[in-house]
Amino acid sequence: AQTVTQSQPEMSVQEAETVTLSCTYDTSESDYYLFWYKQPPSRQMILVIRQEAYKQQNATENRFSVNFQKAAKSFSLKISDSQLGDAAMYFCAYRSPRAKLVFGAGTILRVKS
Amino acid sequence: EAQVTQNPRYLITVTGKKLTVTCSQNMNHEYMSWYRQDPGLGLRQIYYSMNVEVTDKGDVPEGYKVSRKEKRNFPLILESPSPNQTSLYFCASSFDGHPNTGELFFGEGSRLTVL
């Protein structure tokens, strides 16, 4: 069974600085998707960024980028120029085609002004 | 507006009193699923459905039932709720045709407390 591990229960970053959230996963599949979801205090689940395993190029969405290391089964999220609105719980998730999404336990990100 | 709608958003009930949490999506998605979120455990899948009349157990199905009689609706039923089912519940759906991005669209969550 696939597993997703987020080893950092909490992280803090100063406003305007950069922070990296870690995620590792375990799978025997070759074709899959990886996601980072953000959950602010409103509890809504918001997709931050998505990576297809067959793509070697790391995904980027504005201030958010990933470092996808397929051989190492690592999928970290980098947030540049952190803003107060980035404060939230962040979940790393894995999904193989037509199958369930498996989540990590989450990382709470605190942004200091 | 494309969305997944859950009701109720908040519910306090007592042990043993049957309840249903409804979920409806307007995106014509084939795949729908239910998750529960508990501190330190992330989101864990309860049940999922690949299409109408097709449902299957996720990781934590005990104490729950589902049905998928229509493509847009996927209710979660707690026949006899117990305090360990106190949790935050999410319904989600996705498009499984081509191109398949794998992305799940989530409802806003339902906070359930069982006393």
Side-chain angles (χ1 to χ4, degrees), chain B residues 11-29:
Chain B
L11 180 63
I12 300 175
T13 190
V14 295
T15 299
K17 186 176 181 181
K18 180 180 178 180
L19 68 91
T20 299
V21 186
T22 63
C23 174
S24 181
Q25 51 92 6
N26 62 2
M27 295 170 278
N28 202 36
H29 285 168

Side-chain angles (χ1 to χ4, degrees), chain A:
Chain A
Q2 292 86 6
T3 58
V4 177
T5 302
Q6 293 179 248
S7 59
Q8 306 153 317
E10 287 192 31
M11 292 284 285
S12 292
V13 63
Q14 198 70 34
E15 201 174 2
E17 297 294 312
T18 296
V19 65
T20 298
L21 307 184
S22 301
C23 173
T24 58
Y25 58 95
D26 185 28
T27 184
S28 58
E29 306 264 355
S30 59
D31 184 21
Y32 50 87
Y33 309 97
L34 295 164
F35 305 88
W36 279 97
Y37 279 89
K38 171 185 177 181
Q39 187 179 48
S42 67
R43 306 178 323 197
Q44 188 174 2
M45 294 291 287
I46 302 167
L47 178 67
V48 175
I49 200 164
R50 172 181 59 239
Q51 175 82 41
E52 288 89 346
Y54 67 87
K55 290 185 178 179
Q56 293 186 338
Q57 186 174 7
N58 289 325
T60 298
E61 288 287 343
N62 300 313
R63 298 182 294 108
F64 299 87
S65 61
V66 299
N67 183 5
F68 173 47
Q69 303 289 328
K70 190 172 184 179
K73 297 179 183 175
S74 172
F75 184 61
S76 61
L77 174 69
K78 185 172 82 171
I79 306 174
S80 304
D81 185 24
S82 297
Q83 301 175 358
L84 294 177
D86 294 333
M89 174 80 87
Y90 286 82
F91 291 101
C92 178
Y94 164 101
R95 187 181 186 196
S96 55
R98 296 181 61 78
K100 66 181 179 181
L101 202 61
V102 179
F103 287 87
T107 297
I108 297 172
L109 177 65
R110 305 188 193 282
V111 181
K112 302 176 183 177
S113 58

Side-chain angles (χ1 to χ4, degrees), chain A residues 33 35 37 39 42-47 50 52 89 91 95 97-106, chain B residues 9-10 31 35 37 40-43 45 50 59 88 90 94 96 100-104 106 108-109 111:
Chain A
Y33 309 97
F35 305 88
Y37 279 89
Q39 187 179 48
S42 67
R43 306 178 323 197
Q44 188 174 2
M45 294 291 287
I46 302 167
L47 178 67
R50 172 181 59 239
E52 288 89 346
M89 174 80 87
F91 291 101
R95 187 181 186 196
R98 296 181 61 78
K100 66 181 179 181
L101 202 61
V102 179
F103 287 87
Chain B
R9 297 284 311 282
Y10 301 90
Y31 182 93
Y35 290 83
Q37 182 180 356
L41 297 176
L43 281 76
Q45 191 177 54
M50 302 296 285
D59 296 318
L88 176 61
F90 285 98
S94 72
D96 276 349
N100 188 345
T101 66
E103 178 184 353
L104 276 181
F106 285 85
E108 294 184 305
R111 171 71 71 184

